[in-house]
Amino acid sequence: MKDGKDFSRGSTEGPEIRLGLVGIGKIARDQHLPAIAADARYRLVATASRNDMVEGVPGYRDIDALLAAGHQFDAVSLCTPPEGRADIARRAIDAGLHVMLEKPPGVTTDEVRELVRHAAARGVTLFASWHSREAAAVDAARDWLAEHIVTGGRILWKEDIRQWHPGQEWILERAGMGVFDPAINALSILTRILPARFEVEAATLDIPSNRSAAIAAACTLRSAEGYAIEADLDFLFGGSPSWDIELATDAGPLALRNGGATIELPGAAPHAGPNCEYPRLYGRFHALVEAAEIDADTAPLELVEQAYRIGVQRPSPPFAF
Ligand code: NAP
């Protein structure tokens, strides 16, 4: 927020940001392009992607060609998979550009911390975005939980990789994080709605024999206060997806469903709101640029690192899309 204006909630005021978009894949097309087009404060100047471009917008093969093409940019938004994204971000920061990162912000927390140092030294904004934190009911859950005591809970994050990530071979490489690519969304919500610090106490990771990342996992997260959150994560779930967080509290259960879009509170009907995640992210990025601030929370990524570090690996059948 700056000068009393809440940019995260759809303000359309403020200076124009001339933007480059890197990695034209599923999320760039599904969410970034519509959010950018709907926000008058952004102008999409050009894109960089090896195999794709956006109609009517100059397109270059990679970040170096984008930067060398002679356009005027203020910022870039990076929608490539996590591996290699830090290198792209570093080049953009070196060119004096503000950078917005898709989730997860890097392959490792060290990589992200180094980017933070680099951006700070260059005086540009770095925004590690967590789109699920902008889901409609997340703020309401955080506000309600601030008044109550949590005693335990569970995360059920289950979806069909073939439906939601068709052909994305990178996602089952270690750097792609496997089932933690979607599940880190749950961890981003958990670490937003609860003040507790969590550690991964135990984990089992089902890793297909021909892959290096987990296709399913079970984790126990332990809060600093001592309660446990059990996480049941499945990338081979054929039914309608489960993107749910259920918490037990001293006042009864709270549930966030549909990836944080719907909240259930004791004695009340479920309440759902519209999906404004990406418009809110671009609003937040604009506010950060205006305020010359960095926002790069690595808490969700730390939990994924811990799960892979301590997790007991169970071989599972080979996987093919
Ligand atoms: P995607 O469909 O595979 O698109 C990523 C694009 O990045 C590719 O189309 C590719 O375009 C480019 N790219 C550059 N280097 C690449 C590499 N080494 N391997 C593969 N592609 C590479 O992936 P996505 O679903 O958009 O996900 C991208 C990021 O957004 C991930 O971090 C993901 O977690 C996040 N995200 C995804 C979703 C979702 O629902 N899919 C939702 C929220 C966030 P070129 O081949 O043209 O270079």
Side-chain angles (χ1 to χ4, degrees):
M1 205 182 299
K2 194 166 184 264
D3 299 334
K5 294 178 197 138
D6 184 352
F7 286 90
S8 70
R9 288 173 199 277
S11 167
T12 52
E13 295 170 42
E16 182 182 73
I17 291 181
R18 297 163 297 184
L19 189 73
L21 191 64
V22 182
I24 305 303
K26 186 172 189 303
I27 200 60
R29 289 200 177 277
D30 287 358
Q31 296 291 344
H32 288 255
L33 288 170
I36 294 162
D39 192 325
R41 297 165 299 175
Y42 286 92
R43 182 156 58 87
L44 182 61
V45 173
T47 64
S49 209
R50 299 161 309 177
N51 301 297
D52 208 352
M53 53 196 296
V54 174
E55 204 183 323
V57 179
Y60 302 91
R61 195 180 148 70
D62 57 30
I63 185 73
D64 292 333
L66 183 86
L67 296 174
H71 301 285
Q72 295 296 309
F73 293 105
D74 302 297
V76 289
S77 180
L78 307 187
C79 308
T80 54
E83 183 153 41
R85 207 192 291 127
D87 186 50
I88 300 170
R90 226 173 284 114
R91 285 160 198 269
I93 291 168
D94 285 340
L97 303 183
H98 308 293
V99 175
M100 173 164 151
L101 303 170
E102 250 302 347
K103 52 70 37 174
V107 178
T108 65
T109 51
D110 284 349
E111 192 180 83
V112 181
R113 290 191 191 103
E114 177 52 35
L115 275 185
V116 168
R117 282 192 288 273
H118 204 54
R122 194 65 176 76
V124 298
T125 289
L126 180 73
F127 177 33
S129 71
W130 296 105
H131 67 89
S132 291
R133 288 180 170 178
E134 306 300 336
V138 168
D139 287 347
R142 180 185 168 115
D143 291 348
W144 192 85
L145 289 165
E147 309 290 324
H148 297 94
I149 296 167
V150 175
T151 54
R154 61 179 187 158
I155 293 169
L156 301 166
W157 224 256
K158 302 174 177 211
E159 65 183 53
D160 183 351
I161 184 174
R162 292 184 177 92
Q163 179 184 351
W164 296 94
H165 305 273
Q168 291 182 354
E169 300 288 346
W170 61 265
I171 217 165
L172 286 171
E173 289 164 15
R174 174 61 190 87
M177 300 177 204
V179 72
F180 288 93
D181 174 84
I184 203 169
N185 295 333
L187 301 176
S188 76
I189 294 174
L190 192 76
T191 50
R192 167 58 63 90
I193 61 177
L194 293 173
R197 212 181 144 72
F198 290 96
E199 302 278 338
V200 178
E201 185 177 85
T204 53
L205 309 170
D206 295 342
I207 301 186
S209 57
N210 61 341
R211 307 283 174 162
S212 49
I215 200 141
C219 304
T220 302
L221 310 180
R222 182 72 59 186
S223 77
E225 289 94 337
Y227 64 82
I229 306 280
E230 302 293 342
D232 182 0
L233 317 176
D234 189 355
F235 228 164
L236 292 174
F237 189 68
S240 68
S242 166
W243 294 311
D244 301 324
I245 298 173
E246 298 170 350
L247 298 174
T249 80
D250 60 343
L254 172 149
L256 273 176
R257 306 206 185 279
N258 304 323
T262 304
I263 189 167
E264 294 173 11
L265 292 173
H271 183 79
N275 182 347
C276 299
E277 294 176 14
Y278 280 80
R280 287 183 60 157
L281 285 183
Y282 276 95
R284 171 99 185 116
F285 185 45
H286 195 281
L288 288 168
V289 169
E290 281 247 276
E293 284 175 6
I294 288 173
D295 176 354
D297 180 17
T298 56
L301 185 55
E302 281 167 40
L303 294 173
V304 176
E305 281 184 328
Q306 285 177 20
Y308 273 102
R309 193 165 58 240
I310 69 160
V312 175
Q313 301 195 1
R314 293 193 306 204
S316 70
F319 174 84
F321 279 100

